Amino acid sequence: MELYKWTGHRDQGVAILAAMANARLVYLVDGEESVLLYESEGGAPLQGFEAYQVLNAVGDINDGYYAVFNNIPVTDEGRELFESRFQNRAGMVEKEPGFAAIRVLRPVNSDTYIILTLWKDEKSFTDWQQSQAYGHAHAKRGTSEGIDKKPNIFPRPSFVKTYIK
C-alpha cells in the first residue's frame, strides 16, 4: 500500500479536493496550511504529492480527527535498523482510548519517514503521551539501548506537526 501526501495553502487544498471529488482524500488543516492524504493499493502516483510506502497500517485514516505527523529523517545506513524497530513495535498505541489509526511511512523520494497517528481528538493524544503504555513504548529512548543513541542513523532532528480535520 502507498500513501500520498500533499501540503500547501488551505485554498489550494480545497481546490484539489474539489477537482478530485470522487477520490477518497483526507483533508487536514493547521491555520492556513492544509494536508491532503490519499491511500492507494498500487494505483498511479498523484502529481504533486509526496509518495510513501506504508510499512505498517492499523485502523482507517478517515476515522481520525486529530492527526500527528512525527517526521523522522533517517540515513540510508540507518533505514534497516529504523524499520526493524517499527516492524517489531509493541502495538500499545492501538489499545489507547481515542486511537483511530497509525501509519508507518517509508519515504520514496526523501530521507524523512513519517509516523502518522490519528486520534478522536487532541485530548486522546495527550492522554496517550502521559500513559504508562507510552512510557513503555519509549522506555529505551535516551539510553544506550535506544535507537536515538546509535551512530549514523539520524542526520538531523525529527519534528512533529499536527493537523485537525
Side-chain angles (χ1 to χ4, degrees):
M1 177 169 35
E2 298 80 33
L3 183 137
Y4 299 95
K5 175 185 167 241
W6 177 90
T7 306
H9 191 273
R10 192 176 193 145
D11 294 341
Q12 293 172 297
V14 169
I16 293 170
L17 202 55
M20 299 178 68
N22 293 329
R24 192 168 183 221
L25 295 170
V26 175
Y27 176 69
L28 303 162
V29 296
D30 177 29
E32 292 300 309
E33 184 176 88
S34 66
V35 170
L36 290 168
L37 302 176
Y38 176 73
E39 286 188 316
S40 171
E41 289 283 352
L46 297 176
Q47 188 91 21
F49 282 61
E50 296 173 69
Y52 296 87
Q53 293 175 325
V54 178
L55 299 179
N56 186 267
V58 175
D60 186 336
I61 63 172
N62 290 283
D63 291 343
Y65 174 78
Y66 184 76
V68 180
F69 291 76
N70 192 356
N71 299 272
I72 307 169
V74 178
T75 63
D76 284 343
E77 66 184 288
R79 282 180 171 237
E80 185 178 335
L81 179 60
F82 182 81
E83 290 180 15
S84 172
R85 155 79 168 83
F86 280 96
Q87 294 292 356
N88 298 309
R89 65 187 185 82
M92 307 283 282
V93 68
E94 290 96 321
K95 297 174 179 80
E96 288 298 306
F99 170 83
I102 186 171
R103 297 294 183 271
V104 177
L105 305 173
R106 175 195 292 146
V108 172
N109 296 312
S110 79
D111 68 350
T112 304
Y113 285 73
I114 296 176
I115 311 305
L116 168 62
T117 55
L118 292 111
W119 301 86
K120 178 183 81 172
D121 53 29
E122 184 176 1
K123 183 177 181 331
S124 297
F125 173 69
T126 57
D127 287 351
W128 151 245
Q129 287 184 304
Q130 296 168 8
S131 71
Q132 280 187 318
Y134 182 90
H136 177 73
H138 298 92
K140 293 182 181 178
R141 184 183 289 169
T143 72
S144 61
E145 294 180 54
I147 191 172
D148 59 320
K149 295 299 181 186
K150 305 282 187 229
N152 304 318
I153 292 184
F154 303 111
R156 58 192 180 282
S158 62
F159 63 96
V160 174
K161 186 75 178 133
T162 61
Y163 298 88
I164 59 171
K165 209 184 255 186

